[in-house]
Amino acid sequence: MKIRTILSFCLLAFAMTASAQNTESFSGSVVADEGAWCWFADPRAIHYKSADGSIDASYIGYIDVHGAIKASQIDFKANPDGYQQDVLVRSRFQPDDHNNPTFLVLPDERIMIFYARHTDEPRFYYRVSTKKGDITSLGEEHEIKVANNTTYPSPFILSDDPKHIYLCWRGINWHPTIAKLSLPDENDNVDIEWGPHQIVQSTGSRPYAKYHSNGKDKIYVAYTTGHPDNEWPNWLYFNTININAVAMPDGSGYIGSDPTLVDLKGNELSRIEEGPFKVSKTSDYKSKYPNTILDAPSNYRDWVWQVALDKNENPVVAMVRISQDKNSHQYYYARWNGSSWQLTSLVNGGG
């Protein structure tokens, strides 16, 4: 079984724009004539290939200007060049690019689609395909009600806990939030079995987070102090959510049994259910928690685009440093080498 997150989101978006603006310079396939997404709800697009080869498809989600949540299924089993089928997931939703759908392949190979309004409702919506690997056969819409606002759903299933869904989003106090859900039952209902819990507390009002997992026991999160429009400078942090107990350094036992937040060296920062880990952009914080910081600029606004793992399962991050006057956006590729972050400059995007 192979699940791959499609990382070329910007390329697809640029392709759509190029197609609209200059058909002579565009080469490729238009996914949707009207489609938008915000890159903080993930995965917006995945490719799934089943172990027996019966499923080989990509799923790409977006929302249009009318507020219709849509998805495209590109079936490479039906056609080696890809056979695209477009699906209406929900009509007359809030027309906002924050509300693009995200995808999760369930253990039974059905596809679960999450979506939420931009902050103004304390609930998620979801639909589950009735057939394996086929979103053209969606079941009824269901809701997950919570006490706080919901934006940017990012769902995961980890092999060390295959009977639960870990859902991350921007929720409690506008901060990174996590809950553990049951798998859909025979009627596609799910229960919240743990949480929701706020993961971190920043001195900024709105930290923006990107998540990724190793598929086994860890969820990685990179997040900012706040929104770069409001923070100068804006730092970038990186933590790991360990869903299992954390081993004591001396090998004498384990700490806790519920998800914990740790730094890149494995040091426990917090037991998530006991309260959020507090971050700041001060010299005292930097000295005390050096392995939680990816970048601590004094004269830039950091912003995060993507998190992934390299072949050695070391995290890599696509990020940007924005000048104070916003006339310079310098893009970087950041890689953790086991002891420190190495930043490689890519390109300047201008103002």
Side-chain angles (χ1 to χ4, degrees), residues 205-325:
S205 61
R206 285 184 293 164
Y208 280 73
K210 290 287 292 185
Y211 303 91
H212 190 71
S213 86
N214 65 354
K216 182 181 185 296
D217 60 352
K218 295 179 178 64
I219 297 171
Y220 304 94
V221 52
Y223 57 97
T224 61
T225 308
H227 195 291
D229 282 349
N230 310 126
E231 296 291 328
W232 169 259
N234 200 33
W235 287 14
L236 185 56
Y237 311 85
F238 194 97
N239 302 149
T240 302
I241 300 167
N242 190 334
I243 69 164
N244 295 322
V246 178
M248 295 284 284
D250 60 6
S252 60
Y254 291 87
I255 303 172
S257 58
D258 286 314
T260 55
L261 193 70
V262 301
D263 67 18
L264 279 164
K265 294 294 183 68
N267 301 305
E268 182 181 301
L269 302 170
S270 68
R271 300 182 187 182
I272 293 173
E273 68 180 5
E274 295 179 359
F277 173 65
K278 296 181 179 180
V279 301
S280 69
K281 51 181 181 179
T282 64
S283 57
D284 287 344
Y285 176 86
K286 186 176 182 180
S287 176
K288 188 174 182 180
Y289 300 107
N291 296 309
T292 67
I293 299 171
L294 193 161
D295 194 34
S298 61
N299 57 345
Y300 294 105
R301 309 170 190 264
D302 276 346
W303 203 220
V304 60
W305 278 82
Q306 189 72 35
V307 178
L309 297 178
D310 66 15
K311 62 182 180 181
N312 298 316
E313 291 203 356
N314 287 324
V316 292
V317 175
M319 57 170 289
V320 59
R321 287 173 172 171
I322 307 170
S323 62
Q324 184 174 14
D325 59 11

Side-chain angles (χ1 to χ4, degrees), residues 2-251:
K2 292 183 179 179
I3 304 174
R4 294 179 179 173
T5 302
I6 299 174
L7 299 180
S8 53
F9 301 123
C10 297
L11 181 59
L12 287 169
F14 292 158
M16 292 184 214
T17 304
S19 177
Q21 293 180 347
N22 186 347
T23 56
E24 293 181 359
S25 65
F26 173 73
S27 62
S29 300
V30 175
V31 176
D33 291 325
E34 293 182 337
W37 51 28
C38 183
W39 68 92
F40 287 104
D42 261 336
R44 290 154 286 160
I46 61 173
H47 183 82
Y48 177 70
K49 188 173 184 178
S50 61
D52 63 6
S54 61
I55 304 169
D56 186 5
S58 294
Y59 313 94
I60 302 171
Y62 48 93
I63 185 168
D64 72 12
V65 295
H66 310 289
I69 294 179
K70 297 178 178 179
S72 294
Q73 176 173 291
I74 303 175
D75 190 345
F76 297 96
K77 182 69 176 177
N79 185 329
D81 295 325
Y83 169 59
Q84 181 170 325
Q85 295 171 284
D86 298 323
V87 178
L88 177 63
V89 179
R90 166 71 185 266
S91 62
R92 299 184 180 181
F93 208 60
Q94 181 188 39
D96 188 318
D97 66 343
H98 296 69
N99 304 343
N100 64 268
T102 60
F103 301 93
L104 182 67
V105 180
L106 297 172
D108 62 8
E109 297 187 312
R110 293 185 299 155
I111 310 299
M112 190 170 183
I113 303 178
F114 292 85
Y115 45 103
R117 291 172 62 91
H118 184 192
T119 301
D120 64 359
E121 269 191 335
R123 72 192 67 200
F124 291 101
Y125 299 89
Y126 68 90
R127 297 181 71 179
V128 183
S129 67
T130 61
K131 299 178 182 178
K132 295 181 178 182
D134 184 6
I135 62 171
T136 67
S137 63
L138 291 176
E140 295 181 358
E141 182 181 81
H142 293 260
E143 297 180 7
I144 302 172
K145 296 180 180 180
V146 294
N148 302 90
N149 57 282
T150 58
T151 311
Y152 308 135
S154 294
F156 302 93
I157 293 179
L158 304 174
S159 61
D160 276 11
D161 186 10
K163 295 184 179 181
H164 291 100
I165 297 167
Y166 287 84
L167 184 63
C168 302
W169 71 95
R170 187 179 74 186
I172 301 172
N173 296 321
W174 291 68
H175 275 60
T177 300
I178 188 171
K180 181 165 64 175
L181 316 177
S182 65
L183 293 177
D185 63 16
E186 63 275 8
N187 297 313
D188 288 345
N189 294 312
V190 304
D191 293 318
I192 298 176
E193 297 190 358
W194 177 84
H197 296 296
Q198 183 178 335
I199 303 169
V200 298
Q201 174 63 51
S202 175
T203 52
S205 61
R206 285 184 293 164
Y208 280 73
K210 290 287 292 185
Y211 303 91
H212 190 71
S213 86
N214 65 354
K216 182 181 185 296
D217 60 352
K218 295 179 178 64
I219 297 171
Y220 304 94
V221 52
Y223 57 97
T224 61
T225 308
H227 195 291
D229 282 349
N230 310 126
E231 296 291 328
W232 169 259
N234 200 33
W235 287 14
L236 185 56
Y237 311 85
F238 194 97
N239 302 149
T240 302
I241 300 167
N242 190 334
I243 69 164
N244 295 322
V246 178
M248 295 284 284
D250 60 6

